[in-house]
Amino acid sequence: MYKSSGNLQEIINGLPIPVLLIDKSVQIISANNEATQYFNSNLVGNSLFLLFRQPEVLNSISNSFSEGVVKVATVNQSQSEIDITLKLMFNPVVLNEKGEKGLLISLVDETIRGSAEEMRRDFVANVSHELKTPLTSLSGFIETLKNESWEDQVTRHRFLEIMEKEADQMTSLVRDLLSLSKAEVIEGTKPSSEVNLCEVLDLAKNALRPLSKKYNTVINLKGLEQEIFVCGDNDQLIQVFRNLFENSLKYGAKNSSVEVYSTEMVNEQNSGHTLLRIDIRDYGKGFDPVHVSRLTERFYRIDKHRSQEVGGTGLGLAIVKHILNRHHGRLEIESEIGKGSVFSVILPKINQG
């Protein structure tokens, strides 16, 4: 087995991506920690062909050795039942003082890039679709109002009410798109302020008094009168609970109540810290639990007609998810048809004293 030079080995170990070094016999003579972790195996001493058998890889190896230039190959393979796309760059190097040649192989996982591009396309398509319907409706009514003699004030007023509703829906969509964008931009920045969660819940509740009155539904905060502190962004946490309260009012039972209560949990990852769980229970129709895993996806709706009827944009829970990610928290959802739903926010609690 060839021994690579110390300098080359130091370079390999310092690179932030998986890197392999092979000799003329295509045997792996060195691998950095990232490569070992990526393949979950000790690779040194094995043939590269155990990892890659694609013709494009074989051709790139042969051409890089013979021509002494960098070659690139892209391969698709399955790893842990997941389809991945890898870009391999083969860079000729001299292994030792004897002039023996090898190839430095760097691996770039492009699966995430491809997924991100697909998500971007889907997002643009979804936004376009969401805007197209109200815009088409508005255009139709405007054209009708321009071309008709409107002596029938009742019909004219009804048309204007529909136009107002469609404009409000687009305004809500733009507002939520901006909120989602902001939540994603600052998601990696952990907030550092102490926030009294009881005040946050009270403010979110009071902001929805008109909606609560419309559905004749009361939001009851149980055992949340004292001070409970979490580390967070006050405005964002108000938005989280406002979105969740709004969902419970709109999709829960009318002439009923929304119950909000808290419990403390042991943090299994850090026994020295406590988690706070805020449960928001409604008594609506509930839904099939099969939907739970997708509810925080952008524009995902269980009942699209019902969502549009109550003015939903399909972005509220996506915004909640990103805000809670920033706060090192999470959202849990439980529901049963005919028995309502429970949306639970779990956040790290600041231990007082």
Side-chain angles (χ1 to χ4, degrees):
M1 182 185 298
Y2 292 117
K3 300 292 185 180
S4 59
S5 68
N7 288 339
L8 186 55
Q9 187 63 50
E10 288 177 8
I11 292 172
I12 293 173
N13 291 336
L15 292 173
I17 59 174
V19 175
L20 306 172
L21 185 63
I22 63 172
D23 61 16
K24 196 75 173 179
S25 65
V26 198
Q27 188 178 47
I28 300 172
I29 59 176
S30 183
N32 65 358
N33 290 333
E34 282 71 18
T36 302
Q37 292 174 7
Y38 186 85
F39 291 102
N40 195 27
S41 175
N42 184 12
L43 304 170
V44 176
N46 295 315
S47 172
L48 184 69
F49 295 152
L50 292 176
L51 301 177
F52 305 104
R53 296 177 177 272
Q54 291 85 348
E56 186 177 356
V57 173
L58 304 183
N59 291 335
S60 295
I61 291 172
S62 176
N63 293 335
S64 189
F65 269 125
S66 62
E67 299 174 19
V69 296
V70 176
K71 293 293 181 178
V72 178
T74 300
V75 299
N76 298 300
Q77 58 182 198
S78 295
Q79 184 171 305
S80 301
E81 299 183 355
I82 299 175
D83 293 331
I84 61 173
T85 302
L86 287 176
K87 182 169 76 173
L88 282 65
M89 298 184 65
F90 301 88
N91 191 4
V93 294
V94 176
L95 296 175
N96 50 39
E97 295 80 2
K98 297 179 181 179
E100 293 171 318
K101 296 180 179 180
L103 291 179
L104 189 67
I105 307 171
S106 58
L107 291 81
V108 178
D109 190 338
E110 296 201 319
T111 309
I112 297 177
R113 182 185 301 177
S115 299
E117 180 63 22
E118 183 178 354
M119 287 176 62
R120 186 193 67 79
R121 289 196 299 268
D122 290 344
F123 182 64
V124 171
N126 281 325
V127 172
S128 300
H129 177 74
E130 294 291 331
L131 289 172
K132 182 179 179 180
T133 301
L135 282 172
T136 301
S137 178
L138 280 172
S139 296
F141 282 121
I142 291 170
E143 190 67 24
T144 302
L145 289 170
K146 284 170 60 179
N147 296 331
E148 296 287 344
S149 175
W150 285 102
E151 297 179 359
D152 186 348
Q153 295 298 317
V154 174
T155 302
R156 180 175 179 272
H157 182 71
R158 181 169 60 86
F159 277 20
L160 290 172
E161 282 185 333
I162 296 173
M163 293 170 67
E164 182 181 32
K165 182 180 179 181
E166 297 290 5
D168 288 344
Q169 179 69 13
M170 286 191 292
T171 300
S172 297
L173 177 60
V174 172
R175 181 198 64 220
D176 282 355
L177 284 170
L178 292 172
S179 294
L180 179 60
S181 176
K182 179 182 177 181
E184 289 178 328
V185 167
I186 63 176
E187 186 173 346
T189 306
K190 184 179 178 181
S192 57
S193 301
E194 286 192 7
V195 176
N196 184 355
L197 206 56
C198 294
E199 290 183 359
V200 165
L201 291 166
D202 197 51
L203 287 168
K205 171 186 173 180
N206 290 335
L208 292 171
R209 280 184 177 178
L211 192 65
S212 182
K213 184 177 181 180
K214 176 182 178 181
Y215 290 101
N216 194 29
T217 300
V218 179
I219 301 175
N220 293 320
L221 305 180
K222 297 186 174 182
L224 289 161
E225 295 80 18
Q226 75 278 23
E227 294 182 337
I228 303 175
F229 289 96
V230 297
C231 186
D233 181 312
N234 192 74
D235 290 341
Q236 279 199 321
L237 289 176
I238 290 173
Q239 186 174 15
V240 164
F241 290 104
R242 179 169 177 165
N243 284 6
L244 294 175
F245 289 171
E246 187 174 342
N247 277 359
S248 295
L249 291 171
K250 288 179 175 179
Y251 301 105
K254 294 182 179 180
N255 309 311
S256 179
S257 65
V258 174
E259 309 296 335
V260 184
Y261 45 92
S262 70
T263 53
E264 291 188 359
M265 303 167 53
V266 175
N267 189 340
E268 296 179 357
Q269 297 180 345
N270 188 339
S271 58
H273 290 79
T274 304
L275 296 176
L276 186 67
R277 180 188 184 101
I278 304 295
D279 292 317
I280 302 163
R281 173 180 289 278
D282 68 59
Y283 298 94
K285 296 180 179 179
F287 53 85
D288 192 324
V290 72
H291 297 285
V292 167
S293 63
R294 299 195 61 191
L295 280 178
T296 56
E297 292 180 13
R298 300 168 180 174
F299 299 111
Y300 185 82
R301 299 178 175 95
I302 296 173
D303 184 344
K304 187 170 183 178
H305 176 74
R306 172 66 175 155
S307 177
Q308 291 177 335
E309 189 179 76
V310 298
T313 64
L315 294 173
L317 292 180
I319 294 169
V320 168
K321 179 186 72 172
H322 286 288
I323 292 176
L324 292 181
N325 285 345
R326 184 190 179 206
H327 287 73
H328 293 188
R330 66 181 187 272
L331 176 69
E332 293 184 356
I333 304 170
E334 295 180 6
S335 188
E336 187 176 347
I337 296 176
K339 295 187 177 181
S341 307
V342 180
F343 289 77
S344 302
V345 172
I346 299 172
L347 291 165
K349 181 185 176 184
I350 296 178
N351 296 323
Q352 300 295 312

Short mmCIF file of all heavy atoms in Angstrom, two decimals, residues 133-150 155-156 158-164 166-167 170:
data_model
loop_
_atom_site.label_atom_id
_atom_site.label_comp_id
_atom_site.label_asym_id
_atom_site.label_seq_id
_atom_site.Cartn_x
_atom_site.Cartn_y
_atom_site.Cartn_z
N THR A 133 -56.66 32.36 -9.20
CA THR A 133 -58.11 32.27 -9.01
C THR A 133 -58.73 33.60 -8.59
O THR A 133 -59.68 34.07 -9.24
CB THR A 133 -58.45 31.17 -7.98
OG1 THR A 133 -57.92 29.92 -8.45
CG2 THR A 133 -59.94 31.06 -7.79
N PRO A 134 -58.24 34.25 -7.52
CA PRO A 134 -58.85 35.54 -7.17
C PRO A 134 -58.64 36.63 -8.22
O PRO A 134 -59.52 37.47 -8.43
CB PRO A 134 -58.18 35.91 -5.84
CG PRO A 134 -56.93 35.11 -5.79
CD PRO A 134 -57.22 33.85 -6.53
N LEU A 135 -57.49 36.62 -8.89
CA LEU A 135 -57.25 37.62 -9.94
C LEU A 135 -58.21 37.45 -11.10
O LEU A 135 -58.73 38.42 -11.66
CB LEU A 135 -55.79 37.53 -10.43
CG LEU A 135 -54.74 38.17 -9.52
CD1 LEU A 135 -53.34 37.85 -10.02
CD2 LEU A 135 -54.94 39.68 -9.44
N THR A 136 -58.44 36.19 -11.48
CA THR A 136 -59.39 35.91 -12.57
C THR A 136 -60.79 36.37 -12.18
O THR A 136 -61.52 36.97 -12.99
CB THR A 136 -59.39 34.41 -12.90
OG1 THR A 136 -58.08 34.00 -13.29
CG2 THR A 136 -60.36 34.10 -14.03
N SER A 137 -61.15 36.09 -10.93
CA SER A 137 -62.47 36.50 -10.44
C SER A 137 -62.62 38.01 -10.46
O SER A 137 -63.63 38.56 -10.93
CB SER A 137 -62.68 35.96 -9.03
OG SER A 137 -63.92 36.37 -8.51
N LEU A 138 -61.60 38.70 -9.96
CA LEU A 138 -61.64 40.17 -9.94
C LEU A 138 -61.74 40.74 -11.35
O LEU A 138 -62.52 41.68 -11.61
CB LEU A 138 -60.40 40.71 -9.24
CG LEU A 138 -60.39 40.70 -7.71
CD1 LEU A 138 -59.01 41.10 -7.19
CD2 LEU A 138 -61.44 41.66 -7.17
N SER A 139 -60.94 40.21 -12.24
CA SER A 139 -60.95 40.71 -13.62
C SER A 139 -62.33 40.54 -14.25
O SER A 139 -62.83 41.43 -14.96
CB SER A 139 -59.91 39.96 -14.46
OG SER A 139 -58.61 40.20 -13.98
N GLY A 140 -62.96 39.38 -13.98
CA GLY A 140 -64.29 39.14 -14.54
C GLY A 140 -65.32 40.11 -14.03
O GLY A 140 -66.13 40.66 -14.80
N PHE A 141 -65.31 40.36 -12.72
CA PHE A 141 -66.29 41.28 -12.14
C PHE A 141 -66.04 42.72 -12.60
O PHE A 141 -66.99 43.48 -12.85
CB PHE A 141 -66.24 41.21 -10.61
CG PHE A 141 -66.94 40.00 -10.05
CD1 PHE A 141 -66.26 39.09 -9.28
CD2 PHE A 141 -68.29 39.79 -10.30
CE1 PHE A 141 -66.90 37.97 -8.77
CE2 PHE A 141 -68.94 38.69 -9.78
CZ PHE A 141 -68.25 37.76 -9.02
N ILE A 142 -64.77 43.12 -12.69
CA ILE A 142 -64.45 44.47 -13.16
C ILE A 142 -64.95 44.68 -14.59
O ILE A 142 -65.53 45.71 -14.92
CB ILE A 142 -62.93 44.74 -13.07
CG1 ILE A 142 -62.51 44.82 -11.59
CG2 ILE A 142 -62.55 46.02 -13.80
CD1 ILE A 142 -61.00 44.84 -11.39
N GLU A 143 -64.72 43.67 -15.43
CA GLU A 143 -65.18 43.75 -16.82
C GLU A 143 -66.69 43.86 -16.89
O GLU A 143 -67.25 44.64 -17.68
CB GLU A 143 -64.70 42.50 -17.58
CG GLU A 143 -64.91 42.57 -19.09
CD GLU A 143 -64.03 43.63 -19.75
OE1 GLU A 143 -62.98 43.99 -19.18
OE2 GLU A 143 -64.40 44.10 -20.84
N THR A 144 -67.37 43.09 -16.05
CA THR A 144 -68.84 43.13 -16.03
C THR A 144 -69.34 44.49 -15.57
O THR A 144 -70.26 45.08 -16.16
CB THR A 144 -69.38 42.04 -15.09
OG1 THR A 144 -68.92 40.76 -15.52
CG2 THR A 144 -70.91 42.04 -15.08
N LEU A 145 -68.71 45.03 -14.51
CA LEU A 145 -69.13 46.33 -13.99
C LEU A 145 -68.89 47.45 -14.99
O LEU A 145 -69.65 48.44 -15.04
CB LEU A 145 -68.40 46.64 -12.68
CG LEU A 145 -68.81 45.79 -11.46
CD1 LEU A 145 -67.85 46.01 -10.31
CD2 LEU A 145 -70.23 46.14 -11.03
N LYS A 146 -67.86 47.31 -15.80
CA LYS A 146 -67.55 48.34 -16.81
C LYS A 146 -68.55 48.33 -17.95
O LYS A 146 -68.87 49.38 -18.53
CB LYS A 146 -66.14 48.11 -17.37
CG LYS A 146 -65.03 48.54 -16.44
CD LYS A 146 -63.67 48.06 -16.95
CE LYS A 146 -63.37 48.63 -18.33
NZ LYS A 146 -62.04 48.18 -18.81
N ASN A 147 -69.05 47.15 -18.30
CA ASN A 147 -69.84 47.02 -19.52
C ASN A 147 -71.34 46.97 -19.29
O ASN A 147 -72.10 46.86 -20.24
CB ASN A 147 -69.42 45.75 -20.27
CG ASN A 147 -67.97 45.84 -20.75
OD1 ASN A 147 -67.48 46.93 -21.02
ND2 ASN A 147 -67.31 44.70 -20.87
N GLU A 148 -71.78 46.98 -18.04
CA GLU A 148 -73.21 46.88 -17.76
C GLU A 148 -73.75 48.19 -17.19
O GLU A 148 -73.03 48.96 -16.56
CB GLU A 148 -73.48 45.74 -16.76
CG GLU A 148 -73.11 44.36 -17.29
CD GLU A 148 -74.07 43.87 -18.34
OE1 GLU A 148 -75.18 44.43 -18.43
OE2 GLU A 148 -73.72 42.92 -19.07
N SER A 149 -75.00 48.40 -17.44
CA SER A 149 -75.68 49.54 -16.81
C SER A 149 -76.29 49.03 -15.50
O SER A 149 -77.19 48.18 -15.52
CB SER A 149 -76.79 50.06 -17.73
OG SER A 149 -77.52 51.07 -17.07
N TRP A 150 -75.78 49.54 -14.38
CA TRP A 150 -76.14 48.95 -13.10
C TRP A 150 -77.24 49.74 -12.38
O TRP A 150 -76.99 50.60 -11.55
CB TRP A 150 -74.90 48.84 -12.23
CG TRP A 150 -74.02 47.71 -12.68
CD1 TRP A 150 -72.89 47.80 -13.41
CD2 TRP A 150 -74.25 46.34 -12.47
NE1 TRP A 150 -72.38 46.55 -13.68
CE2 TRP A 150 -73.21 45.63 -13.10
CE3 TRP A 150 -75.25 45.61 -11.82
CZ2 TRP A 150 -73.11 44.25 -13.11
CZ3 TRP A 150 -75.17 44.22 -11.82
CH2 TRP A 150 -74.12 43.57 -12.45
N THR A 155 -77.49 43.69 -6.80
CA THR A 155 -76.52 42.83 -7.50
C THR A 155 -75.15 43.50 -7.54
O THR A 155 -74.11 42.85 -7.34
CB THR A 155 -76.99 42.54 -8.92
OG1 THR A 155 -78.28 41.92 -8.87
CG2 THR A 155 -76.02 41.61 -9.63
N ARG A 156 -75.13 44.79 -7.78
CA ARG A 156 -73.87 45.53 -7.82
C ARG A 156 -73.16 45.44 -6.47
O ARG A 156 -71.95 45.21 -6.41
CB ARG A 156 -74.15 47.00 -8.18
CG ARG A 156 -72.91 47.88 -8.26
CD ARG A 156 -73.31 49.28 -8.75
NE ARG A 156 -72.16 50.15 -8.82
CZ ARG A 156 -71.71 50.90 -7.79
NH1 ARG A 156 -72.35 50.83 -6.63
NH2 ARG A 156 -70.67 51.67 -7.93
N ARG A 158 -73.51 43.11 -4.23
CA ARG A 158 -73.06 41.72 -4.03
C ARG A 158 -71.76 41.46 -4.78
O ARG A 158 -70.84 40.83 -4.26
CB ARG A 158 -74.14 40.74 -4.49
CG ARG A 158 -73.77 39.28 -4.29
CD ARG A 158 -74.99 38.39 -4.51
NE ARG A 158 -75.52 38.54 -5.85
CZ ARG A 158 -75.07 37.85 -6.90
NH1 ARG A 158 -74.06 37.00 -6.77
NH2 ARG A 158 -75.62 38.03 -8.09
N PHE A 159 -71.66 41.98 -6.00
CA PHE A 159 -70.43 41.82 -6.77
C PHE A 159 -69.26 42.49 -6.07
O PHE A 159 -68.16 41.94 -5.99
CB PHE A 159 -70.62 42.43 -8.17
CG PHE A 159 -71.29 41.50 -9.15
CD1 PHE A 159 -72.04 40.42 -8.71
CD2 PHE A 159 -71.16 41.71 -10.52
CE1 PHE A 159 -72.66 39.57 -9.62
CE2 PHE A 159 -71.78 40.87 -11.43
CZ PHE A 159 -72.53 39.78 -10.97
N LEU A 160 -69.49 43.69 -5.56
CA LEU A 160 -68.42 44.42 -4.89
C LEU A 160 -67.97 43.70 -3.61
O LEU A 160 -66.79 43.71 -3.26
CB LEU A 160 -68.88 45.84 -4.56
CG LEU A 160 -69.05 46.78 -5.76
CD1 LEU A 160 -69.68 48.10 -5.34
CD2 LEU A 160 -67.69 47.04 -6.43
N GLU A 161 -68.91 43.07 -2.91
CA GLU A 161 -68.56 42.30 -1.72
C GLU A 161 -67.66 41.12 -2.07
O GLU A 161 -66.69 40.82 -1.36
CB GLU A 161 -69.82 41.80 -1.02
CG GLU A 161 -70.54 42.86 -0.20
CD GLU A 161 -71.71 42.29 0.57
OE1 GLU A 161 -72.27 41.26 0.11
OE2 GLU A 161 -72.05 42.82 1.63
N ILE A 162 -67.98 40.44 -3.18
CA ILE A 162 -67.16 39.31 -3.62
C ILE A 162 -65.77 39.80 -4.00
O ILE A 162 -64.75 39.18 -3.66
CB ILE A 162 -67.83 38.59 -4.82
CG1 ILE A 162 -69.16 37.97 -4.39
CG2 ILE A 162 -66.89 37.51 -5.36
CD1 ILE A 162 -69.97 37.39 -5.53
N MET A 163 -65.71 40.93 -4.70
CA MET A 163 -64.42 41.49 -5.10
C MET A 163 -63.58 41.86 -3.87
O MET A 163 -62.37 41.64 -3.83
CB MET A 163 -64.63 42.72 -5.98
CG MET A 163 -65.24 42.40 -7.33
SD MET A 163 -65.77 43.87 -8.24
CE MET A 163 -64.19 44.66 -8.57
N GLU A 164 -64.23 42.42 -2.87
CA GLU A 164 -63.53 42.77 -1.63
C GLU A 164 -62.96 41.52 -0.95
O GLU A 164 -61.83 41.52 -0.46
CB GLU A 164 -64.48 43.50 -0.69
CG GLU A 164 -63.82 43.96 0.61
CD GLU A 164 -64.78 44.64 1.55
OE1 GLU A 164 -65.99 44.27 1.54
OE2 GLU A 164 -64.36 45.56 2.27
N GLU A 166 -62.13 38.68 -2.39
CA GLU A 166 -61.00 38.16 -3.18
C GLU A 166 -59.76 39.01 -2.95
O GLU A 166 -58.64 38.49 -2.84
CB GLU A 166 -61.36 38.15 -4.67
CG GLU A 166 -62.52 37.24 -5.05
CD GLU A 166 -62.18 35.77 -4.95
OE1 GLU A 166 -61.07 35.43 -4.49
OE2 GLU A 166 -63.03 34.94 -5.34
N ALA A 167 -59.92 40.34 -2.86
CA ALA A 167 -58.78 41.22 -2.60
C ALA A 167 -58.21 40.96 -1.22
O ALA A 167 -56.98 40.94 -1.03
CB ALA A 167 -59.21 42.68 -2.74
N MET A 170 -56.05 37.83 -1.29
CA MET A 170 -54.72 38.07 -1.85
C MET A 170 -53.84 38.84 -0.88
O MET A 170 -52.63 38.57 -0.77
CB MET A 170 -54.84 38.81 -3.19
CG MET A 170 -55.35 37.95 -4.32
SD MET A 170 -55.19 38.74 -5.94
CE MET A 170 -56.41 40.04 -5.78
#
